[in-house]
Amino acid sequence: MRISARADYAVRAALELAAAGGEASLKAEAIAAAQGIPHKFLEGILGDLRRGGLVVSQRGGKGGYRLARPAESIAIADVIRVADGPLVSVRGVRPPELSYCGPAESLLPLWIAVRANVRKILGEVTLAHVAAAKLPDEVLSLAEDPAAWTNP
């Protein structure tokens, strides 16, 4: 799985909003500066998050962006899907739409299992978890495995 810069920036921007609190609005410039995200790129991402129902925006001197609902109810998967589309696909196609034959036949259940595991983790971890640095134990356990981030 590859996390694009767009998805990474979208999650980081949403985390800034989560950390700011429910009613606080942040300007795009402040989010961009805090996370080192190019401002123009961030504006497009915030527009997508707004259209996706994850953030709301308000114009004016006290305007800016804030989460559309509590951070506890927004999964990391929600943000990535709005910013980038499906979490896992093969050649741009979702695994259930694929078919293989011969010795490659068992690839389909493998791709589906990969997709299910990615969805499980990113669907259960919320903005609130990450913003509070309180990841679920299952995620921490996976991350603490020394082989988790090394290439064989």
Side-chain angles (χ1 to χ4, degrees), residues 38 127 138:
L127 292 175
E138 180 182 352

Side-chain angles (χ1 to χ4, degrees), residues 17-103:
L17 296 172
E23 294 302 314
S25 290
L26 295 178
K27 297 201 179 298
E29 296 85 4
I31 298 168
Q35 288 296 320
I37 301 171
H39 179 256
K40 289 290 184 190
F41 195 31
L42 180 61
E43 284 285 354
I45 292 168
L46 289 168
D48 287 345
L49 294 176
R50 185 181 48 76
R51 284 185 291 282
L54 298 181
V55 303
V56 293
S57 62
Q58 181 177 334
R59 295 179 187 240
K62 293 189 178 195
Y65 294 88
R66 62 181 170 78
L67 294 178
R69 55 185 203 261
E72 295 82 11
S73 70
I74 301 175
I76 301 298
D78 298 333
V79 179
I80 293 173
R81 282 188 192 104
V82 167
D84 240 8
L87 295 176
V88 177
S89 66
V90 177
R91 301 185 324 260
V93 177
R94 291 184 173 154
E97 298 168 8
L98 298 169
S99 64
Y100 296 98
C101 58

Side-chain angles (χ1 to χ4, degrees), residues 105-129:
E105 216 170 332
S106 61
L107 273 178
L108 183 58
L110 175 65
W111 297 152
I112 292 171
V114 168
R115 181 175 190 237
N117 276 294
V118 169
R119 290 176 70 177
K120 179 178 176 8
I121 292 171
L122 296 178
E124 290 178 3
V125 177
T126 67
L127 292 175
H129 287 124

